[in-house]
Structures are given as C-alpha cells and as structure tokens.
Amino acid sequence: MGVHKRYSALGRGLDALISTDDVRPQGSSTINEIEIGQIEANPNQPRREFDEEALQELANSIREIGIIQPITLRQVAEDRYQIIAGERRWRASQIAGLTAIPAYIRTIKDENVMEMALVENIQREDLNAIEIALAYEHLLSNSGMTQEKVSERVGKSRTAITNYLRLLKLPAQVQMALQKKEIDMGHARALLSIDSPSLQIKVFKEIQKNGYSVRKVEEIAKQLNSGEDVTVGKKVIASKTQLPEEFNALKERLSSFFSTKVQMTCSPKGKGKISIPFANADELERIMAALDKMND
C-alpha cells in the first residue's frame, strides 16, 4: 500500500530552510506518507523550470533533516497521486534517495487544481513572469473564469492580470529573456509600449548589450513613439516614422536658415518636435542671433 504512516502534525521550525507551501484548504484533506513512485507531476503546473543547483541543495538538506512541510496531492487512481503543490520538494526527495514523502491528500474538483497551484506559487513568488502569464491564460481558457473571477481567486488586481497577459504579446526571444530573468517586468512593460515588434527586438538587444535601466528603456520607447530616431552608442535605431513631404520641406528650410541640421519628428497622430543641435557655445550664439533676427 502507498500509505505507510498517518501523521498528526509536523514541525515547522525549519520552514526558512526548506521551501513551504501554504495552500488554503478546499474540500477534505488528510496527511499521509506516500511512496515516491506513486506520485506524478501535475501537467498543468505553472512552474516550467527547476534550477538544478537549487534542487541539489534542497536534496542535501532533505538527506540531513528530512521533509519539514508535506507536499500537497490529490488522488487520481488507486495508489496514484498528482501533485497540487510541492513539486520542487518531490523532485529533491528523489535526488535525496527517499522512497516515500509526507503529503496532504486533498479531495477537490479537477478545475480547482491549476487554481490552487497558481495561487500557492504566486503567493510565494516562485514563478517567473511568463509562467504566471501562461498560468493566467490557462485559467481563462480552460476554466471559463473571467478576469474578474481570476482576480478574486488569486488576490491580484485585474490590471495586474492584464499586464501579465500582455507579456505574451512580446516577441519570443523577449519572453525567453523575461522567463530567464535576464530582464525584468519594468523592461518588458517599456518594450510593450513600442508598437513595432521589430523595434521591440532592436531595443531588447540594446538592453542585453548595454544593461540599460528600466528608465533608460522608457526614454528610448518614448522617443521612438514620437517618431524620433534614437542613438545608442554608435548605433541608430530608426523610428521608421516617415515625415510627410511638406514637413520634410520645412525641415530643410529650417536647416538652411540656422546653418545646422535641424531634426524634426512627427508621430502618426501628428504630435512631434523640432530640435536644433549645436556643437559648442559659438554655434549656440549664432543660432540665438538668428532667432533674434527673426524677432526684429
């Protein structure tokens, strides 16, 4: 039999050392020791990747002191159980050579499993941003829940859920970097404000190359959205916004008048700006003199 021993309680003094799960009870539950081989991972588990080094460290701790907090399972067949929460400890227990592991056995409906796993991991901030986004998408697509209902269940605002779902619209290589935590949510949100996927990728590559802060990326996005080309190092990222022909004519007239290359940008909505560059104080003085002459 898979159930070896019934526990009345387990100590929690070493929770800081071993990752714990605090899943709110739904349905009935019992606590038992279950054979490792009778446990299977939840295919809808939000977590997609497990750090091998961290798993080994946890396995070493488990060898020394055992499992402090039980994992959470549901029974799917006789002597077969599926993980609701605690897959990391289950994996580490296998590495540690355990043959059985303490577990809470919960009786819940199938549609509650993903929800419980998601809530548990989000509360502990175990998931990366893309995993959370995919989990939200799964809940919305497969459970028939609305964003408002998901918001209530996971304790997050609808705005937060919407922001996570928007991440799935980013180019694949940007999503992968976010999943690997090579960039953070702030970078991702700034990139999302850029309409063109090709420009998103170009800016993303500059983030990787130069380690730009979120504020820097926001500035770049703002410039590109206003139709302005952006210079990063020796490279220019073109906004690809073409000035109307009459604007180009005006730009040339201004450049000729000030004897310098005037820059003009214009967004598709007609908003833009004119900038007059100068190389030194003498050039600035000459430009100011030209402006004064206009007022005479």
Side-chain angles (χ1 to χ4, degrees), residues 173-185:
Q173 57 187 287
V174 180
Q175 290 191 41
M176 290 174 64
L178 187 57
Q179 181 166 300
K180 295 176 182 176
K181 299 184 179 179
E182 295 172 356
I183 61 173
D184 60 31
M185 280 283 286

Side-chain angles (χ1 to χ4, degrees), residues 40-46 74 82-84 87 113-114 117:
E40 62 186 40
N42 177 3
N44 292 323
Q45 158 68 274
R74 70 181 182 118
Q82 189 178 86
I83 297 172
I84 294 175
E87 183 173 342
V113 175
M114 180 66 176

Side-chain angles (χ1 to χ4, degrees), residues 11-296:
R12 298 176 61 91
L14 294 176
D15 283 353
L17 178 60
I18 293 186
S19 177
T20 64
D21 299 299
D22 295 321
V23 182
R24 295 178 182 178
Q26 294 189 27
S28 60
S29 64
T30 58
I31 183 169
N32 305 283
E33 190 170 75
I34 305 297
E35 291 181 3
I36 290 283
Q38 295 179 347
I39 300 171
E40 62 186 40
N42 177 3
N44 292 323
Q45 158 68 274
R47 182 197 288 273
R48 296 285 187 261
E49 296 182 359
F50 294 84
D51 183 274
E52 293 299 326
E53 185 177 345
L55 275 178
Q56 186 60 59
E57 290 177 356
L58 181 54
N60 293 339
S61 296
I62 289 173
R63 283 195 193 97
E64 292 181 19
I65 59 177
I67 295 288
I68 300 301
Q69 178 70 15
I71 66 173
T72 307
L73 307 173
R74 70 181 182 118
Q75 189 164 5
V76 293
E78 185 164 353
D79 293 336
R80 295 301 302 171
Y81 302 88
Q82 189 178 86
I83 297 172
I84 294 175
E87 183 173 342
R88 182 169 174 265
R89 275 167 288 147
W90 173 65
R91 289 174 178 268
S93 295
Q94 293 178 74
I95 296 172
L98 269 61
T99 58
I101 185 172
Y104 295 114
I105 312 300
R106 297 197 184 280
T107 305
I108 60 174
K109 297 178 181 179
D110 287 347
E111 57 265 30
N112 292 122
V113 175
M114 180 66 176
E115 177 187 333
M116 290 182 69
L118 176 61
V119 172
E120 180 268 334
N121 279 282
I122 288 177
Q123 286 175 342
R124 290 165 49 223
E125 299 183 350
D126 270 3
L127 302 182
N128 62 58
I130 294 299
E131 287 175 325
I132 292 174
L134 289 170
Y136 282 144
E137 184 182 56
H138 180 94
L139 279 175
L140 292 167
S141 301
N142 294 282
S143 69
M145 296 170 65
T146 62
Q147 281 197 27
E148 184 174 0
K149 189 66 174 178
V150 172
S151 172
E152 292 174 2
R153 292 293 181 90
V154 302
K156 299 287 183 179
S157 68
R158 289 184 63 184
T159 300
I161 292 171
T162 299
N163 286 338
Y164 274 110
L165 290 171
R166 289 179 66 224
L167 298 176
L168 301 180
K169 297 180 180 180
L170 286 167
Q173 57 187 287
V174 180
Q175 290 191 41
M176 290 174 64
L178 187 57
Q179 181 166 300
K180 295 176 182 176
K181 299 184 179 179
E182 295 172 356
I183 61 173
D184 60 31
M185 280 283 286
H187 291 107
R189 283 194 292 267
L191 289 172
L192 279 167
S193 70
I194 302 172
D195 292 332
S196 166
S198 61
L199 284 179
Q200 289 175 347
I201 291 173
K202 287 180 179 179
V203 176
F204 163 68
K205 288 181 177 178
E206 294 304 317
I207 296 172
Q208 287 186 311
K209 181 180 177 181
N210 301 299
Y212 286 147
S213 66
V214 172
R215 177 165 293 186
K216 176 66 175 178
V217 179
E218 289 172 343
E219 291 174 357
I220 292 173
K222 186 176 181 180
Q223 287 179 276
L224 291 172
N225 287 335
S226 69
E228 184 177 347
D229 294 346
V230 177
T231 302
V232 286
K234 296 181 179 180
K235 187 175 181 179
V236 175
I237 300 178
S239 69
K240 295 186 178 180
T241 301
Q242 298 296 321
L243 286 173
E245 187 175 340
E246 60 271 23
F247 279 42
N248 273 318
L250 177 58
K251 177 182 173 182
E252 293 303 318
R253 286 180 59 190
L254 289 171
S255 295
S256 176
F257 180 80
F258 290 109
S259 298
T260 188
K261 191 174 182 179
V262 172
Q263 297 175 345
M264 180 180 292
T265 62
C266 182
S267 72
K269 295 181 180 179
K271 183 179 179 180
K273 68 178 180 180
I274 297 171
S275 58
I276 308 172
F278 54 89
N280 50 49
D282 290 339
E283 278 201 13
L284 174 59
E285 194 171 318
R286 179 177 54 76
I287 291 169
M288 294 304 297
L291 286 170
D292 289 341
K293 189 178 294 184
M294 291 175 63
N295 293 326
D296 290 344

